[in-house]
Every structure is written in structure tokens, then in C-alpha cells.
Amino acid sequence: MTKLLCLGELLIDMLPQDANNSAYLPIPGGAPANVAVGYAKLGAEAAFCGGKGDDHFANQLSNALAQYNVNTDYLFTIAGSQTAMVIVSLDETGERSFGFYRHNTADVLLTQAHLAHINWQEISTLHFCSNTLTESAIANTTVKALELAKANNKLVSFDVNLRYSLWENTSDIASNVKACYIYCDIVKLSRDELNFLAQHSDTSGDYIQMLLNTGVKLVFLTDGPEPATVYHSAFTLNESAPKINAVDTTSAGDAFIAGVLYYLNNLGSDLPLAEKLNDKASVKGALHFALKCGSKACLAKGAFPALPVLADVL
């Protein structure tokens, strides 16, 4: 079983339609949803768990997931709620900035009762991000999902994916993120996120070593166009990203981690998934494949449409 379950926010990205960011188009997005679509577009089974609004955008979002063959059995309509929205602005290099409209929206109203519907026997991997740690209620739901995943012996993947403006108090970020590491097998960080967390952490010494000491098997560190690195307690690997002319980096990180999870679950050796995390050749293959996925996703605007299919990557 290689089915991926992504937990978190499904929202509307308002993407600029010109260089001046003067007109916007509503596009389905949300980091965990992007990963689910990225995984499904590569050719494997993916499901999404989260809350969707009871508004104009709800059908657009659920239909978009279905269009890309993402299972929506665990996408729950939250009566009377609205869909979260993010204004994405792009600079001249295609780099993003975000403005969130997210107060009591459907994505933060998922409850622990919703999690009872999940059939863990059909899941291999749970993936989540930090945007469901920003408020206490949805953070509790997220941690409960992590507990259930580990109780059912599932691999857990965490793309930290910090959006600082979503946090009422940024001093809470490091501790809330750190509390999740004990459940995680894979953690993905950007260089900026690593610097922030290391600066604000109560942990002395090397932050990545702390992650490995906590029990995280693999730490993937990305750094924009610079080489990416993966850390394991027994080895470290790095590789340069393919050289491209980026059009839109919106889904690059999501495509990267979708590539990591797809490769480990579906490609490479015949080792069991848990053993692949400790196999240097498997990890090297996952890093190489993920970098190709991330670079391909930068060549088109939007999130879901830009995520590559397997033939594009191979």
C-alpha cells in the first residue's frame, strides 16, 4: 500500500495575472493539497483530509482535487464556514509573497471527530505542514492525527512550510513546530526556516542534529536555486537543482516533497518503506527525483496545473 494522506489547508490562491500584480485569478491551492495533487499526478494514490467551506469556492476546490484523482472521502464540509484565501504576489524573479485571509475559516475547523473516519489500513504515509499548528484547536487536531498515524505504524512527513503572518505570536512557532518532531520520519525545511527555527529554539547546538536525535530519519534542506541537502544520522547527501528560468515558484517546495514521498513509496529498490529511509541509494534517488519535480513545477503559473506528471520528470 503506497497511498498518501495529506492533512491540512485547502484554499484559494489569488494569483496575479500580470507583472504589476494588478489582476488576480482564483486558483485552488494550499500546501498539503498541492502535495496530494503532486503525488497523484505522478501516478500514485493520494487522499486529502481537511475542512472545506460552505461557500462559492467549495465546489471549485473539491472538483479540482477530483480532477487530479485525489480522493476526497476525508474532505469534510464545515457548515456555515468560509474558504480561506491567500493573495500571492510575485516579484520580477518569480519569487512569492503571501497575504492571508484566514479567520475562523473551514481549514482551521477540522476536529478530532473527523479523524475517526480515516481508514488507516489503506494509508502508507501521512503528510502535513505547519499551517495547522497556528491556532490551538486545529493544532490539537493535527497532533491527534500524528498520534493516530504512529499508532498505526505509518510514515509521517512534515514540510514545515512556515507562513509567519498566520501566527498571532511568532514566538510560539519554534516550540509548536518542535513538538511535532517526535512523530516524524521525514522533515523538510528551507534554509530560511532552518535559520529562523534555530535562532528561536530553546535547543542549544546544531538544530539538524537535534532533529536526528529526536528520531527524525531524514531531514531535507532546500535553498532555492542552491544545492539541496538531505541529512541522515549515518550520511549526508547534497545535489544541485537543475538550472531553469523560473516563471512561478508557488508550488516548487510542494512538488519537491511530493517527489520525495512518491519516490520512496513507488520507485527505487524493493526494500520496505521503513528500510528505504536508512538506505543511502534510496535516499539519493529520492533527492534527485525531488529536485527534478521541484524545478519542473517552476515552469508554469499556478499550483495544481504546474505540478509535473511522471513522464515530464523521467
Side-chain angles (χ1 to χ4, degrees):
M1 178 57 66
T2 64
K3 190 171 184 178
L4 173 67
L5 177 63
C6 292
L7 173 81
E9 70 275 10
L10 176 64
L11 46 73
I12 290 291
D13 285 335
M14 298 297 288
L15 290 181
Q17 296 303 289
D18 57 36
N20 297 319
N21 298 304
S22 63
Y24 291 85
L25 182 68
I27 299 292
N34 292 343
V35 175
V37 170
Y39 192 87
K41 287 183 74 173
L42 288 167
E45 285 189 89
F48 181 81
C49 179
K52 72 170 181 176
D54 185 15
D55 62 8
H56 170 74
F57 289 120
N59 287 338
Q60 180 184 356
L61 292 170
S62 56
N63 289 343
L65 290 180
Q67 176 187 344
Y68 292 105
N69 297 314
V70 174
N71 183 288
T72 56
D73 288 349
Y74 310 129
L75 176 59
F76 302 98
T77 299
I78 310 297
S81 69
Q82 292 186 314
T83 299
M85 185 180 301
V86 55
I87 306 297
V88 182
S89 298
L90 302 176
D91 65 18
E92 60 276 5
T93 68
E95 196 55 52
R96 309 152 298 162
S97 61
F98 303 94
F100 283 89
Y101 295 81
R102 184 184 184 236
H103 177 68
N104 211 35
T105 46
D107 56 305
V108 298
L109 298 176
L110 189 77
T111 68
Q112 295 186 33
H114 291 119
L115 303 179
H117 295 273
I118 297 173
N119 178 8
W120 290 101
Q121 301 314 305
E122 66 178 13
I123 305 298
S124 76
T125 304
L126 174 69
H127 176 75
F128 74 109
C129 303
S130 69
N131 290 347
T132 49
L133 303 175
T134 58
E135 299 177 14
S136 59
I138 190 61
N140 290 338
T141 300
T142 300
V143 171
K144 180 62 176 179
L146 303 183
E147 293 173 348
L148 290 169
K150 297 316 290 183
N152 285 278
N153 299 310
K154 305 306 175 184
L155 185 144
V156 174
S157 164
F158 183 16
D159 182 357
V160 175
N161 197 46
L162 291 177
R163 299 292 176 255
Y164 304 98
S165 63
L166 287 178
W167 295 79
E168 184 175 343
N169 189 345
T170 55
S171 63
D172 294 334
I173 294 177
S175 59
N176 286 25
V177 167
K178 184 181 177 182
C180 295
Y181 292 150
I182 60 171
Y183 304 102
C184 298
D185 300 288
I186 295 173
V187 171
K188 178 192 168 293
L189 293 162
S190 70
R191 175 68 65 182
D192 289 345
E193 289 163 351
L194 173 62
N195 292 341
F196 176 90
L197 292 169
Q199 180 182 351
H200 293 84
S201 174
D202 58 3
T203 302
S204 60
D206 184 85
Y207 193 85
I208 288 178
Q209 188 59 53
M210 178 274 291
L211 282 169
L212 297 174
N213 292 343
T214 301
V216 176
K217 299 296 190 299
L218 298 173
V219 181
F220 287 88
L221 180 65
T222 59
D223 193 10
E226 300 304 315
T229 306
V230 56
Y231 298 87
H232 181 276
S233 59
F235 56 83
T236 301
L237 301 167
N238 60 72
E239 183 177 334
S240 297
K243 299 297 183 184
I244 59 166
N245 293 317
V247 173
D248 179 4
T249 60
T250 297
S251 59
D254 303 324
F256 178 93
I257 193 63
V260 167
L261 299 177
Y262 179 84
Y263 187 94
L264 291 173
N265 272 289
N266 300 282
L267 298 178
S269 75
D270 293 328
L271 289 171
L273 178 58
E275 293 183 24
K276 284 185 179 181
L277 302 185
N278 297 313
D279 179 60
K280 188 174 182 179
S282 295
V283 176
K284 183 177 181 179
L287 176 62
H288 178 73
F289 185 83
L291 284 166
K292 293 178 71 174
C293 290
S295 63
K296 289 287 185 182
C298 294
L299 300 179
K301 280 193 174 184
F304 294 2
L307 294 161
V309 298
L310 186 60
D312 291 338
V313 182
L314 298 179

